[in-house]
Amino acid sequence: MRRYVMRGPVSLLAAMVIPLALSAMLLPLRGHLANTNVALLLVVAVVAVAAVGHRAAGAVAALSAAAWFDFFFTRPYERFTISNSSDVTTAVLLLAVGLAVSQLAARARHFEVVAVTDAGYLARIHEAAVMARSRPAPAVVDHVRAELVDLLGLRGCRFEHGVLLGHPPRLEHDGSIVVGRRQWATDELGMPTDEVELRVFAHGRYVGRFMLDAVPGSKPARQALLVAVTLADQAGAALESSTRPAKAA
């Protein structure tokens, strides 16, 4: 909740107020501090807002910083006009740099989220791989089934050993879903209403399939679908090991 508030309406209010507050603090130094240095300090304020707010907040902070720089630090003072060409350049650069920084901060937050999400995915894959080497195949299949339900937000999931009947929607190894002979636009339409088939192979040999009962219209991330395929591969590895003839002593 705290994170939401910082990136909701409060962040827009902060984007307008923080540059104004900093400008008021710097006002006694007007005439003693070069305008370029004032602009740099205002950029720092924009960075701070963009770091804890959303993309729009960073843009608003950049606009606010440029406006208050014009109002307080360029002649004629206390008016939104600029008479000095160098101050015009500084104000324009302040706005441009502020907008650029806000975009970069938004991108940085996006990459952070992706990294955290990927770490969670890797943990799932690692755990399944360890189980595939050390646990009986039925335990691995049950573990993968539970992981698929949690990962994709499924209503249910079952495993069919050696059964390949009908033509249900199919989750392919590239993370796409195929219905009939056409690729399903999962990112637009969400998951199909029918159960989705996720085939399990062991060294290229079909051994079974998970039947995914998805919430109709749900839109799992493409990465999550790819992880689901990888988890199914771990189940296939466990099933392959269980059917491999034991070596003679």
Side-chain angles (χ1 to χ4, degrees):
M1 181 67 179
R2 183 179 180 182
R3 183 175 179 177
Y4 170 79
V5 170
M6 288 300 292
R7 297 191 181 176
V10 172
S11 64
L12 293 175
L13 178 62
M16 293 183 286
V17 171
I18 288 177
L20 172 59
L22 179 58
S23 297
M25 292 173 60
L26 296 174
L27 193 56
L29 300 176
R30 187 172 66 187
H32 302 284
L33 190 65
N35 277 1
T36 51
N37 292 332
V38 173
L40 287 174
L41 291 172
L42 288 171
V43 167
V44 173
V46 175
V47 172
V49 171
V52 298
H54 44 62
R55 193 186 302 266
V60 169
L63 291 169
S64 177
W68 295 122
F69 172 78
D70 174 14
F71 189 80
F72 288 117
F73 298 99
T74 66
R75 296 180 185 275
Y77 297 135
E78 282 78 51
R79 292 175 59 186
F80 289 108
T81 56
I82 304 177
S83 59
N84 190 312
S85 61
S86 62
D87 285 339
V88 172
T89 302
T90 302
V92 171
L93 288 175
L94 169 59
L95 177 60
V97 171
L99 291 172
V101 166
S102 68
Q103 299 302 308
L104 290 173
R107 283 179 175 270
R109 284 196 307 274
H110 169 72
F111 291 141
E112 179 185 358
V113 171
V114 170
V116 171
T117 304
D118 286 348
Y121 289 161
L122 289 173
R124 292 178 188 269
I125 294 170
H126 175 73
E127 184 177 2
V130 170
M131 289 191 66
R133 293 193 298 267
S134 60
R135 300 286 298 278
V140 178
V141 169
D142 285 343
H143 173 78
V144 170
R145 182 176 53 78
E147 284 289 302
L148 291 173
V149 170
D150 183 60
L151 175 67
L152 302 177
L154 304 176
R155 293 185 298 190
C157 178
R158 56 192 173 86
F159 181 75
E160 296 181 346
H161 186 87
V163 176
L164 193 57
L165 301 175
H167 300 282
R170 184 172 66 256
L171 174 56
E172 298 285 10
H173 272 64
D174 62 356
S176 64
I177 293 179
V178 174
V179 178
R181 296 184 179 180
R182 296 183 300 177
Q183 186 164 313
W184 182 262
T186 310
D187 54 345
E188 297 178 5
L189 303 175
M191 294 290 285
T193 55
D194 296 333
E195 284 186 314
V196 177
E197 171 188 79
L198 173 54
R199 297 182 181 181
V200 179
F201 296 87
H203 288 289
R205 181 173 61 89
Y206 173 78
V207 293
R209 62 183 179 178
F210 289 100
M211 299 301 294
L212 314 177
D213 183 13
V215 175
S218 61
K219 299 178 181 180
R222 185 65 170 265
Q223 280 184 309
L225 294 172
L226 287 169
V227 172
V229 171
T230 305
L231 290 173
D233 288 341
Q234 299 304 323
L239 289 167
E240 193 274 338
S241 297
S242 68
T243 58
R244 186 184 302 160
K247 293 183 179 179

